[in-house]
Amino acid sequence: MRFALASVALATLATTVSGAVHQVAVGGTGLAFNPSQLTAAVGDTVQFVFGPKNHSVTQSTFAAPCTFMAGGADSGFMPSVAGAATQPMFTVTVTQTTPLWFYCRQANHCQQGMVFAINPTAQKSFAAFQQAAMGTTPDAAGGTSASASSASASASASASSESTSGSTTTSSAPAASSSTTNGAIATGAGAGGLLALVGIAAGILL
């Protein structure tokens, strides 16, 4: 009896620690994340599944929606083909409850409203974040020329610096690496140099 009770307790603990799994579609039905926002608890994971064409999940800030946040999570470009047996996936594990902000850094997708939020608040809402993104101007590197923040960094595929900000990420793509990033833990960085080049080329067509 004691053994049975201990087993139940351990099973309950394991379920609590693992957290819920949220799935978000990236593109596929237009330039949007679906859903565009969600509420997640510490320990929850968010699985970004990439639809056809080519997008990214890149972390930014509320002040600069279309600018890569230094040390933030970045899936890199994830080319995806309609009808493929499997689609690329990028996973973020939430490590704090403060808001986390993301966008697609392909061409001008962010400026067209392709942004996403985890745990937005009344003071910093998703609607305000998206509206700010659509008011920026893309630069030649696919970022933004808006002067709302000086925290811009090169929008390269893997998040490699360490900081504390609330989530972790994993990628289904090869060449995985891991790091604790701003608001996310990034494990796995992208599909490698070749896919990055393909992503840039494909972006011209989107």
Side-chain angles (χ1 to χ4, degrees):
M1 177 64 71
R2 289 181 181 177
F3 176 76
L5 289 175
S7 298
V8 172
L10 287 174
T12 301
L13 178 60
T15 301
T16 301
V17 171
S18 62
V21 177
H22 310 269
Q23 195 163 91
V24 177
V26 183
T29 57
L31 300 183
F33 291 84
N34 186 24
S36 59
Q37 59 183 308
L38 57 83
T39 300
V42 172
D44 286 3
T45 56
V46 181
Q47 297 176 338
F48 295 94
V49 181
F50 292 81
K53 296 198 176 180
N54 185 23
H55 302 285
S56 80
V57 174
T58 304
Q59 192 171 6
S60 64
T61 63
F62 185 80
C66 300
T67 298
F68 174 57
M69 180 177 66
D74 187 3
S75 67
F77 291 120
M78 292 288 204
S80 180
V81 179
T86 60
Q87 300 293 349
M89 182 183 294
F90 186 66
T91 301
V92 169
T93 301
V94 178
T95 61
Q96 65 186 47
T97 57
T98 52
L100 303 176
W101 311 100
F102 299 88
Y103 71 105
C104 175
R105 65 179 173 87
Q106 180 67 269
N108 65 344
H109 292 191
C110 181
Q111 287 75 17
Q112 294 188 62
M114 193 171 180
V115 294
F116 175 78
I118 299 175
N119 296 330
T121 65
Q123 293 74 28
K124 294 183 176 181
S125 68
F126 171 79
F129 178 64
Q130 186 179 53
Q131 183 175 19
M134 296 175 74
T136 62
T137 302
D139 59 24
T144 177
S145 60
S147 59
S149 171
S150 60
S152 62
S154 65
S156 62
S158 135
S160 60
S161 64
E162 299 259 345
S163 64
T164 57
S165 191
S167 70
T168 64
T169 65
T170 62
S171 172
S172 62
S177 61
S178 74
S179 63
T180 302
T181 63
N182 295 292
I185 293 173
T187 310
L194 177 59
L195 288 183
L197 291 175
V198 171
I200 293 172
I204 297 174
L205 302 177
L206 300 181

